[in-house]
Amino acid sequence: MEHNLPELRPGTLYLVATPIGNLEDITLRALRTLKQCDIVAAEDTRRTGQLLKHFGISKPQLSYFRFNEARRSEEIIERLGRGERIALVSDAGSPGISDPGERVVKQAIAAGFRVESVPGPSALVAALTASGLPAMEFHFIGFLPHKPGQRRKSLERLGTFTGTLVLYESPYRVEKLLLELKEVFPERQVVLARELTKKFEEFMRGSPAELLEQVKKRSLKGEFVVLIAGAAEGARA
Ligand code: SAM
């Protein structure tokens, strides 16, 4: 274990994970990186502003989100070239996981800059490890496409995969997803991981049909990770 870490290095891009709900989940290293960096590149500067304020950090920000990624990546590369130490954060969790980040990381590496991960929360890991489904082998899908035909095809393509399948889904489409899972994977064990690290965190487990019943009875709000037992698990445990 290293305790006396060096100061941040000039010309480095730091990918800083932030809490997915519970602010206690910020790491000491994330706080130090946010304090010591020259600028924070944030998916939503207002939201990150609130996080920084909560931890008593005042730092200039640069917006970096899906629709300005290309332009902003260039600016970040220029700044790295001037020796700036840049912290990249998304709205929640790990940047680059179903969140912006990948493009600037690729460009920074191609341009010969150092990229460091400041690991921390991610809904993927939080959900998988507490789901009770095998974590030895898993396949992270992130969000399925929105178009019905494409969604169905994506699910069918995953049918032979032996590891646990992990999806992100919006609360508005969870019921729809369960209907699709009922068609494509009626026998599989499914876990809904809701509101992870927050006050109303819960794990719901069952077949797609059983979960559909539960979801219909309550109007479920919040954020969800949906996990599906892999083909090897086959019938429900
Ligand atoms: N980069 C993030 C990460 O590392 O987890 C994910 C960002 S993605 C845009 C947002 C999705 O992650 C949500 O729609 C939901 O599926 C999942 N998610 C994020 N926070 C969550 C939480 N507290 N509980 C359950 N799912 C969560």
Side-chain angles (χ1 to χ4, degrees):
M1 289 268 217
E2 282 191 78
H3 291 292
N4 296 317
L5 287 163
E7 295 272 302
L8 301 191
R9 298 181 199 219
T12 302
L13 177 65
Y14 293 88
L15 301 176
V16 182
T18 56
I20 56 168
N22 189 330
L23 291 177
E24 282 183 343
D25 291 337
I26 192 104
T27 69
L28 296 176
R29 187 161 162 237
L31 288 177
R32 184 169 66 85
T33 306
L34 292 169
K35 269 182 207 144
Q36 291 181 356
C37 68
D38 295 296
I39 192 162
V40 177
E43 187 182 3
D44 177 342
T45 52
R46 195 184 57 88
R47 206 162 151 171
T48 298
Q50 287 167 352
L51 182 82
L52 294 177
K53 192 166 170 224
H54 178 86
F55 290 108
I57 300 169
S58 159
K59 199 57 67 176
Q61 290 193 60
L62 177 77
S63 82
Y64 175 87
F65 58 96
R66 213 167 116 211
F67 299 108
N68 72 5
E69 244 185 313
R71 187 161 44 87
R72 284 295 202 229
S73 292
E74 275 169 30
E75 181 176 344
I76 290 172
I77 300 299
E78 274 169 31
R79 285 175 177 269
L80 290 170
R82 293 196 292 257
E84 288 191 16
R85 299 153 308 170
I86 303 178
L88 178 76
V89 301
S90 64
D91 284 359
S94 299
I97 301 294
S98 297
D99 265 343
E102 200 175 299
R103 182 189 282 256
V104 70
V105 167
K106 275 193 190 144
Q107 288 190 14
I109 293 168
F113 293 109
R114 194 179 163 84
V115 177
E116 274 188 37
S117 186
V118 181
S122 181
L124 154 66
V125 176
L128 179 65
T129 48
S131 68
L133 295 175
M136 174 83 97
E137 187 190 359
F138 66 91
H139 187 72
F140 176 63
I141 296 127
F143 292 98
L144 285 174
H146 286 181
K147 290 194 181 144
Q150 288 177 7
R151 280 170 79 83
R152 176 89 188 212
K153 260 193 209 136
S154 306
L155 286 174
E156 281 167 356
R157 259 203 309 270
L158 296 164
T160 54
F161 193 81
T162 50
T164 299
L165 305 174
V166 189
L167 280 94
Y168 284 165
E169 190 51 286
S170 109
Y172 310 106
R173 273 187 294 270
V174 162
E175 196 172 323
K176 181 167 178 264
L177 177 62
L178 287 171
L179 279 166
E180 290 161 333
L181 294 181
K182 195 175 147 196
E183 296 286 315
V184 184
F185 301 124
E187 302 299 328
R188 301 259 185 116
Q189 167 88 347
V190 173
V191 179
L192 298 183
R194 185 172 88 88
E195 292 287 85
L196 293 161
T197 78
K198 303 185 198 175
K199 190 173 170 192
F200 297 108
E201 168 169 325
E202 72 175 319
F203 286 83
M204 298 163 71
R205 300 177 172 91
S207 68
E210 286 165 350
L211 290 172
L212 252 178
E213 287 237 325
Q214 289 191 48
V215 165
K216 277 185 180 154
K217 276 189 218 144
R218 311 156 53 186
S219 73
L220 288 178
K221 295 197 183 80
E223 297 191 280
F224 287 88
V225 180
V226 181
L227 305 103
I228 305 152
E233 288 291 299
R236 296 180 49 218

